[in-house]
Amino acid sequence: MALTVGFSIPKTNLIMGENPLCTLTLQNTGDKPLEIIDPQSGSGMPVFRVMNIQTGAEILIRDRWPQAKIFTLVLQPGRPIERSIPLLRDIKFPLPGDYAVSALYEYNGGRDRAESNPVKVKIRALAVQNLSLVYHDAPDLNATCINTAADPPDVVMIQLQLVAGGGPGDVRSAGKATLLDTPVGSWPPTWGQWIAWVNEGTLNYTYLHIGRESTDPGRTALRSPQVRLIPPVHSTSDANPDVFNEGMAALWLQDPRTGGSTVQLVELRANARKASGKLGASLSLAGGAPGWMMNHFRTDGRNLVTFIRGQNGHIGLYTLPWPRSEAAAPPAGPLVKWQGELVAAGATCAEGNVIRGALVVRPGTCPHENLTVHDWMIDPAGAATSAPRVSLNWSVADPVLSAKVRVRKSGEPAVLLRGRDATWYLYDGLSELKPVFSEYARTPLPIDVVFFGGREAVLVLGRKEGGLAVKRTDGSDLPPDID
């Protein structure tokens, strides 16, 4: 009796954390049936031999999650079987570099073994910049970023699992961009993910489908060199995994002649090869660029842009239904007004199609007044309310150089602030403003806030070794999965 093993990886030039689906082939080349261990997760088979080509160092890696009961299967003579195995199911590459990976199979009670030919794999570094998150309180989130370790830089999507035992997950490469681009993902989550970014007055976009390679990126030229992508991109939702969901990107454009504003929709479509787009409806607005903008996708199909403008000590919250024709009415006056200077804002779409948001204001009416956090809410009928939440102990003489506001579905915000001394401070919505834990207090790498269990504020952090980390506010990892 004899066993032959085949092992193939469809993509061998990978970013650290990419997890392609590999094919394991097992064939009985003897003339009698052969009983072997079923190569499912937890069975201990196959064993993987991983060799660092530069150093020659090699290790044998067995399944890290052994099962209490091992299942077997019988291979008939001459009949191969195939199994799909994620590359990183058992293997973890410690560093970027060139590796040779082969699959080794033990049979006949461990007395015999067969090994596939090695597959050469290049693992490239992942240096995260221009990080963007689509919402912040779901159990599974997709982060998008630019990988500056590549030349030209990669557009990358990183899965984040905000559950016990979770953290950063699979990494997907989605195309090429420049160092200045900020890719934005889509919502709601489904079988596919749209990713879009703006570069030199052109909207770029691609589609990532679960289990498939990303489509070739498409490009749509816009009518202005001054363009901002309003996050997130919209995706249709379909339960059929074979369907490529349509998308819609909303953008703010500035008229180069008048300085006025336009909200422009771009309709997105994809097939297995290519993403494409075309200009959709648009709407002209009075005034210049808002200080903050966001899309909201209500379950009744009423998609909405909320935006905040601030000028001369006055701040206003506005809403704009997605334009359906050139004749659509522009937004009316502000729903809510505040006094002061806008520092940062954020929002989320909560249960019952209620939009909950928050903003940080530097009042400016008193030389000793601290920063103020205000809540705001827009109900399904469009009525808005607001109330001050907390005053943050921040020196009047210290400028806010960076700020982020994230909002739970319950309405409580979290705020990240960085001042002149480059220290990051966090207000988690439940306690006072305090510095981020020491290892990342002055990090020059990306930092953001998400909500573990929809409640606890935790930090998403760029690691100096590459990739992302998810840490609780005391610096510890997410709690382990006890199942």
Side-chain angles (χ1 to χ4, degrees):
M1 293 184 292
L3 178 70
T4 61
V5 180
F7 183 66
S8 63
I9 305 174
K11 182 181 180 183
T12 56
N13 190 336
L14 305 171
I15 301 170
M16 179 73 79
E18 274 194 272
N19 192 19
L21 206 58
C22 307
T23 300
L24 175 74
T25 305
L26 303 172
Q27 184 171 10
N28 178 3
T29 57
D31 56 7
K32 295 181 180 180
L34 177 62
E35 186 177 25
I36 65 169
I37 294 173
D38 193 331
Q40 58 184 298
S41 179
S43 70
M45 287 291 122
V47 176
F48 291 99
R49 187 191 303 274
V50 180
M51 182 180 71
N52 186 311
I53 293 176
Q54 281 90 356
T55 66
E58 68 175 34
I59 57 173
L60 294 178
I61 301 174
R62 293 181 179 270
D63 198 317
R64 295 167 295 159
W65 311 107
Q67 293 179 353
K69 180 180 179 181
I70 300 300
F71 296 90
T72 62
L73 57 84
V74 175
L75 291 180
Q76 298 298 328
R79 293 187 179 180
I81 66 164
E82 289 187 353
R83 294 289 188 270
S84 296
I85 299 176
L87 177 63
L88 304 184
R89 187 190 76 175
D90 305 316
I91 299 171
K92 296 297 180 187
F93 297 101
L95 294 168
D98 295 322
Y99 296 86
V101 181
S102 57
L104 189 150
Y105 224 92
E106 298 172 352
Y107 61 105
N108 284 336
R111 295 186 299 275
D112 298 307
R113 68 182 188 177
E115 187 170 357
S116 72
N117 290 326
V119 179
K120 291 184 178 180
V121 178
K122 177 178 285 293
I123 305 298
R124 297 185 284 118
L126 173 56
V128 174
Q129 278 298 337
N130 302 352
L131 179 66
S132 174
L133 292 168
V134 176
Y135 289 103
H136 299 83
D137 54 2
D140 292 288
L141 298 175
N142 289 322
T144 51
C145 65
I146 295 296
N147 176 25
T148 60
D151 186 17
D154 299 303
V155 176
V156 174
M157 185 179 76
I158 305 173
Q159 183 185 34
L160 299 178
Q161 297 177 325
L162 301 183
V163 295
D170 290 351
V171 173
R172 296 282 305 274
S173 177
K176 295 293 184 178
T178 75
L179 292 173
L180 299 178
D181 299 339
T182 299
V184 173
S186 64
W187 192 265
T190 182
W191 291 98
Q193 172 85 184
W194 282 100
I195 299 176
W197 61 100
V198 171
N199 179 261
E200 295 184 348
T202 298
L203 178 67
N204 302 262
Y205 38 83
T206 190
Y207 186 81
L208 288 180
H209 197 286
I210 293 176
R212 305 185 188 184
E213 290 298 308
S214 62
T215 62
D216 290 338
R219 296 170 179 83
T220 298
L222 302 166
R223 299 165 179 165
S224 168
Q226 299 297 322
V227 181
R228 283 167 47 185
L229 181 59
I230 306 171
V233 178
H234 183 254
S235 175
T236 58
S237 182
D238 198 299
N240 186 346
D242 295 324
V243 170
F244 287 79
N245 297 311
E246 296 180 356
M248 187 79 78
L251 303 106
W252 171 87
L253 286 69
Q254 184 177 59
D255 188 323
R257 297 167 300 173
T258 67
S261 297
T262 299
V263 171
Q264 173 73 62
L265 300 184
V266 178
E267 301 170 10
L268 306 176
R269 289 179 174 82
N271 55 36
R273 300 187 307 275
K274 178 76 175 179
S276 62
K278 67 176 183 178
L279 296 177
S282 64
L283 175 64
S284 296
L285 308 175
W292 171 87
M293 302 185 80
M294 186 174 181
N295 286 316
H296 306 278
F297 311 128
R298 286 170 158 163
T299 57
D300 58 8
R302 293 181 300 144
N303 297 338
L304 187 75
V305 178
T306 55
F307 62 98
I308 295 176
R309 278 184 170 141
Q311 187 175 13
N312 300 325
H314 299 280
I315 304 169
L317 169 67
Y318 300 79
T319 63
L320 173 68
W322 271 19
R324 297 184 181 274
S325 69
E326 296 287 350
L335 298 178
V336 182
K337 296 180 181 180
W338 300 275
Q339 296 295 315
E341 173 191 349
L342 175 66
V343 176
T348 191
C349 197
E351 301 298 327
N353 288 324
V354 173
I355 299 171
R356 295 186 181 274
L359 74 162
V360 178
V361 174
R362 188 183 287 278
T365 57
C366 173
H368 305 295
E369 204 160 3
N370 293 325
L371 301 179
T372 303
V373 180
H374 295 264
D375 297 341
W376 55 266
M377 182 182 73
I378 302 174
D379 68 19
T385 58
S386 176
R389 168 171 287 272
V390 69
S391 179
L392 301 178
N393 186 18
W394 189 266
S395 171
V396 174
D398 192 2
V400 178
L401 300 183
S402 299
K404 301 175 189 290
V405 176
R406 309 305 183 211
V407 182
R408 300 166 174 87
K409 291 190 184 300
S410 56
E412 293 97 344
V415 179
L416 273 169
L417 299 169
R418 182 172 64 174
R420 186 183 287 113
D421 71 350
T423 299
W424 282 104
Y425 290 82
L426 173 66
Y427 165 66
D428 67 2
L430 306 174
S431 59
E432 63 184 12
L433 183 72
K434 54 188 175 183
V436 168
F437 64 93
S438 59
E439 182 182 355
Y440 285 92
R442 296 192 178 187
T443 180
L445 297 171
I447 181 171
D448 211 327
V449 182
V450 292
F451 301 109
F452 172 64
R455 182 68 175 167
E456 179 187 349
V458 296
L459 296 169
V460 177
L461 303 152
R463 301 170 67 244
K464 62 183 178 181
E465 301 86 357
L468 293 176
V470 179
K471 298 287 186 180
R472 303 176 99 168
T473 56
D474 62 0
S476 63
D477 294 329
L478 296 182
D481 186 356
I482 59 175
D483 292 338

